[in-house]
């Protein structure tokens, strides 16, 4: 039944969160010193970057929605964002598929230039917690956790609770998203 599977999914999520927070508890309350002029990316900037990347990836997600609905060729126009929104809510595991696509999209960009196109446009970059340049395997770890984060949308609420504004993928990979300066007011 949908209720039982939902409860099981969130129990699994709870277990994952518990493991991550127990494993990284020493880091949860510690804010790493950053060089002058560098700060942890604020939520507004990160949200804008995510939106830009969403727009870039929307054709891939529309194709995923058609595939998950088992309607190839699609029985709806690929530009129909209302249908995409409906698929997000009604097709099981669609958000996890979106997360996988997003993670696979982000990995090469973050390895090569330290940011997805959305992050780059808004001035954010991914670094290790000690401030060094990104390390490829850390980028892979942080992005392969995106299916879990996309599937369990409420997990995003944890980002502002960590001093370094880290999501679960960042905590496990020991990475942070930084910005060079705040948005001008």
């Amino acid at each position: 039944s949908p209720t039982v599977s939902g409860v099981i999914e969130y129990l699994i999520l709870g277990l994952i969160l518990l493991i991550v927070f127990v494993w990284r508890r020493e880091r949860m309350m510690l804010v790493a010193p950053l060089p002058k002029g560098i700060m942890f990316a604020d939520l507004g900037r990160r949200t804008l970057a995510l939106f830009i990347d969403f727009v870039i990836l929307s054709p891939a997600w529309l194709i995923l929605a058609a595939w998950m609905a088992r309607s190839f060729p699609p029985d709806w126009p690929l530009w129909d964002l209302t249908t995409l929104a409906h698929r997000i809510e009604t097709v099981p595991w669609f958000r996890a598929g979106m997360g996988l696509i997003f993670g696979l999209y982000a990995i090469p960009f973050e390895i090569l230039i330290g940011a997805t196109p959305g992050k780059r446009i808004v001035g954010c970059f991914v670094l290790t917690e000690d401030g060094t340049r990104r390390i490829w395997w850390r980028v892979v770890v942080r992005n392969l956790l995106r299916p879990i984060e996309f599937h369990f949308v409420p997990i995003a609420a944890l980002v502002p609770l960590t001093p370094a504004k880290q999501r679960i993928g960042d905590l496990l990979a020991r990475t942070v998203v930084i910005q060079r300066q705040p948005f001008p007011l």
Side-chain angles (χ1 to χ4, degrees), residues 12-70:
I12 292 169
L13 171 64
L15 181 62
I16 292 168
L17 291 175
L18 181 65
I19 291 168
V20 169
F21 285 112
V22 167
W23 178 58
R24 295 299 319 274
R25 70 182 170 277
E26 81 286 350
R27 176 69 178 109
M28 294 302 296
M29 295 303 156
L30 177 69
V31 177
L34 293 173
K36 189 173 179 141
I38 303 285
M39 58 194 298
F40 297 116
D42 61 58
L43 292 178
R45 198 178 282 214
R46 288 181 77 161
T47 302
L48 181 58
L50 188 62
F51 176 76
I52 292 168
D53 289 327
F54 263 64
V55 170
I56 292 169
L57 284 171
S58 60
W61 291 334
L62 289 167
I63 292 168
L64 175 68
W67 177 77
M68 287 190 125
R70 307 295 192 267

Side-chain angles (χ1 to χ4, degrees), residues 74-120:
D75 57 359
W76 45 273
L78 285 179
W79 60 86
D80 184 359
L81 295 180
T82 304
T83 302
L84 175 61
H86 177 71
R87 297 284 193 257
I88 289 170
E89 293 303 318
T90 60
V91 178
W93 295 95
F94 180 73
R95 287 188 307 268
M98 289 174 63
L100 181 63
I101 290 171
F102 193 94
L104 294 174
Y105 155 84
I107 288 171
F109 287 113
E110 290 182 359
I111 288 173
L112 296 173
I113 60 174
T116 62
K119 282 187 190 81
R120 184 96 179 184

